[in-house]
Amino acid sequence: MKSVLIIFAIGSIFLMNIQAQTPKDLAQIWEKQHVSKLQPSQVRHKDLQKYLEQLKSFDLKVEEVGRSYANREIYQIEWGRGATKVLMWSQMHGDEPTATSALIDMFAFLQRNRDKDWVKRLENALTIRAVPMLNLDGAELYQRRNLQFIDINRDARALETPEGKLLKKLRDEWSPDIGFNLHNQSSLTTVGNTNKQATISLLAVSGNAEGKSNEGHLRNKRLCAVMIDALNQFIKGHIGRYDDTYNPRAFGDMISAWGTPVILIETGAFHGKGEMFLVKLNFIAFLSALEAIVDGSEKKANPKIYDALPFNNTGNLFNVIFRKANIINFNETTEPFTADVAINAERRRAEENAPTFVQEIGDLSVFSGLSEYDAQDFYLVQKKGLLRTGASGEFFFYRKTRKIDWKAKDLEKEFPPDAIFLNGRWMKGEKLLKKK
Ligand SMILES: [Zn+2]
């Protein structure tokens, strides 16, 4: 009896070892082991260097491979000794940071878990190289473009940026079998015709103007299907895809055309969850895809799962909508009119206050806001008087029952508002307007 139990126990340990990691396993692994501690948007060059020092202390190969326009060191991490060559690069746009942290976590995990059978198989089958934070100067300023104010992702043909030149060189000298082009999209990108945020969007890039498929492109579609299956366990309904409009200036298209079929992963947002949740999703997506390449499950994946993803959409979703506000443009007239008011926030690092601006005024009943407030019992007044699109989202709210002299010299002083909304936040009267 005892020996049967022992054999059973050994058998299950063996099984556990050869079975693929489920997406939930990968999520747990990340929760326990991730080494990126800062929110991705807070990571500057010096923070990246600290992360890389940590990777080096785990004996990972990290080397300087080039310099940015402002002469900052650009690094490449390498892991594995297998025949299949994978090239990944992140933050080609400086204000798109999620994947940089996810790459750090992935390499730290792989290197420190080489005793696990499934990691060993990855190590023997793959060589992974990654350039985290390709656009260091842009990342320092938290802007899309590099310090020449060129969009590196429109520089694949002209190669006028040192960062773009470097990326092409790294590809050409190594001829990887697959490329991962890692970006962030707007948090207001939506899935198809829904008002749901696209938390992750994918594109298997064909790399030609006709959108013709080759074996690498088909493999990448199957890999996208693997990632969709994995991510569906966390963000079902929040995955979209980009249409494959060929752009001969963009790196995803050109690297595919040069012989390295590229998968584009764009990370958006998930309302109510922070940046680290998105890092975890990236970690799960990367490792699910890499595992599927190595264990061959990619070959059985159904590319129709990828084809069935709705395309991304924009314009259906706003950061905040105030519904049925009674608007008073007190410098123009004191007669109120009723309208919905939508504001959006600009992209900023987590610790900064993102400026907001009025995006739409009118009947917004077909749109959604990540936050919505019922303003029908309130006057809404733009701080400077005239509510107009493009104005900053600085609003005073007055109960409709109050008697206000709209011609008052200093409105705010003489008639203190019941609620004040500035820069996407309530400064006063937070709970006064009903949240929808
Ligand atoms: Zn981008």
Side-chain angles (χ1 to χ4, degrees):
M1 186 61 193
K2 214 175 182 180
S3 62
V4 172
L5 273 179
I6 289 168
I7 288 167
F8 179 74
I10 291 171
S12 357
I13 288 165
F14 180 69
L15 265 178
M16 269 164 50
N17 246 333
I18 61 162
Q19 264 170 3
Q21 302 302 296
T22 66
K24 293 233 162 81
D25 295 335
L26 293 173
Q28 271 178 10
I29 286 170
W30 182 86
E31 302 275 0
K32 285 206 194 94
Q33 298 197 25
H34 69 96
V35 297
S36 73
K37 300 296 180 199
L38 295 169
Q39 305 208 59
S41 66
Q42 294 173 314
V43 177
R44 271 89 160 168
H45 190 214
K46 65 172 176 16
D47 306 303
L48 176 70
Q49 285 171 320
K50 276 184 208 150
Y51 283 156
L52 294 174
E53 282 308 315
Q54 200 178 356
L55 294 189
K56 279 194 220 165
S57 75
F58 304 150
D59 267 338
L60 263 151
K61 187 175 165 193
V62 178
E63 56 180 349
E64 183 189 326
V65 285
R67 293 285 173 110
S68 70
Y69 185 73
N71 207 34
R72 293 190 167 94
E73 301 89 342
I74 302 175
Y75 299 97
Q76 179 174 269
I77 312 164
E78 182 177 319
W79 182 85
R81 49 168 173 268
T84 302
K85 297 187 269 185
V86 181
L87 180 64
M88 309 173 86
W89 62 94
S90 72
Q91 221 165 339
M92 162 189 276
H93 293 138
D95 56 353
E96 302 181 11
T98 305
T100 297
S101 294
L103 286 173
I104 298 295
D105 289 341
M106 181 189 79
F107 282 108
F109 166 74
L110 289 172
Q111 177 69 0
R112 291 196 295 171
N113 290 271
R114 281 175 301 160
D115 56 331
K116 290 194 173 61
D117 279 352
W118 73 274
V119 177
K120 222 176 276 168
R121 280 196 298 279
L122 259 60
E123 191 181 17
N124 289 327
L126 304 176
T127 302
I128 310 169
R129 288 183 180 174
V131 179
M133 202 185 271
L134 177 67
N135 182 3
L136 293 162
D137 302 340
E140 210 62 18
L141 297 165
Y142 213 61
Q143 69 179 27
R144 176 181 177 89
R145 292 160 186 264
N146 82 341
L147 203 59
Q148 298 159 285
F149 285 78
I150 293 175
D151 182 339
I152 298 169
N153 206 24
R154 299 292 177 268
D155 190 38
R157 194 161 55 182
L159 299 171
E160 289 157 345
T161 63
E163 299 87 358
K165 266 190 209 117
L166 172 66
L167 182 58
K168 179 162 186 347
K169 175 171 159 264
L170 293 174
R171 196 229 70 93
D172 288 352
E173 287 176 357
W174 198 45
S175 289
D177 300 289
I178 179 167
F180 285 87
N181 185 13
L182 307 169
H183 290 252
N184 285 81
Q185 62 194 4
S186 161
S187 59
L188 300 175
T189 306
T190 50
V191 175
N193 278 329
T194 71
N195 293 343
K196 278 187 176 170
Q197 279 176 301
T199 306
I200 296 283
S201 295
L202 298 168
L203 174 64
V205 182
S206 73
N208 58 77
E210 304 78 36
K212 273 191 299 215
S213 267
N214 54 29
E215 187 39 53
H217 179 236
L218 290 171
R219 177 206 59 201
N220 284 357
K221 282 171 77 165
R222 295 192 297 269
L223 284 173
C224 285
V226 169
M227 291 190 276
I228 295 160
D229 276 342
L231 295 172
N232 266 343
Q233 302 192 25
F234 308 91
I235 51 166
K236 198 167 174 54
H238 289 270
I239 306 173
R241 73 172 164 130
Y242 277 91
D243 71 351
D244 193 12
T245 312
Y246 181 70
N247 183 340
R249 299 184 302 148
F251 266 101
D253 295 279
M254 292 318 289
I255 285 185
S256 300
W258 297 329
T260 297
V262 167
I263 295 178
L264 168 72
I265 303 180
E266 294 265 2
T267 302
F270 194 97
H271 191 53
K273 301 256 191 192
E275 290 186 47
M276 294 313 271
F277 174 70
L278 305 171
V279 175
K280 178 166 72 176
L281 294 179
N282 272 243
F283 179 87
I284 294 165
F286 301 166
L287 283 172
S288 300
L290 295 174
E291 224 188 336
I293 296 171
V294 172
D295 71 13
S297 58
E298 161 267 307
K299 298 214 161 44
K300 287 171 260 160
N302 184 359
K304 288 196 181 121
I305 293 172
Y306 168 75
D307 290 327
L309 279 184
F311 286 114
N312 279 343
N313 219 331
T314 51
N316 286 335
L317 189 62
F318 299 92
N319 283 113
V320 185
I321 296 182
F322 297 97
R323 295 286 183 195
K324 296 202 173 352
N326 302 281
I327 296 153
I328 297 215
N329 287 321
F330 60 83
N331 286 340
E332 310 295 319
T333 162
T334 55
E335 219 26 65
F337 67 95
T338 307
D340 303 328
V341 178
I343 63 165
N344 281 348
E346 285 177 8
R347 191 181 283 184
R348 286 290 189 276
R349 293 191 208 271
E351 74 269 22
E352 287 167 23
N353 258 341
T356 57
F357 53 93
V358 178
Q359 184 73 19
E360 263 303 346
I361 304 164
D363 173 7
L364 308 181
S365 54
V366 298
F367 303 127
S368 299
L370 291 173
S371 304
E372 295 197 4
Y373 296 95
D374 180 353
Q376 61 183 330
D377 294 332
F378 291 85
Y379 293 119
L380 183 158
V381 174
Q382 213 281 339
K383 198 177 170 184
K384 298 200 173 69
L386 180 63
L387 181 79
R388 53 179 180 81
T389 52
S392 66
E394 301 179 307
F395 304 142
F396 299 150
F397 291 89
Y398 293 92
R399 283 182 208 279
K400 266 181 83 180
T401 48
R402 269 177 75 180
K403 287 269 167 291
I404 312 286
D405 174 10
W406 301 111
K407 299 228 175 340
K409 246 199 179 122
D410 188 338
L411 189 65
E412 187 179 0
K413 216 171 180 180
E414 289 175 50
F415 297 92
D418 296 300
I420 301 176
F421 189 86
L422 293 179
N423 278 333
R425 290 195 308 181
W426 290 105
M427 310 307 287
K428 185 185 175 187
E430 167 137 28
K431 302 245 159 65
L432 224 49
L433 279 79
K434 241 192 295 155
K435 209 166 173 169
K436 298 190 102 173

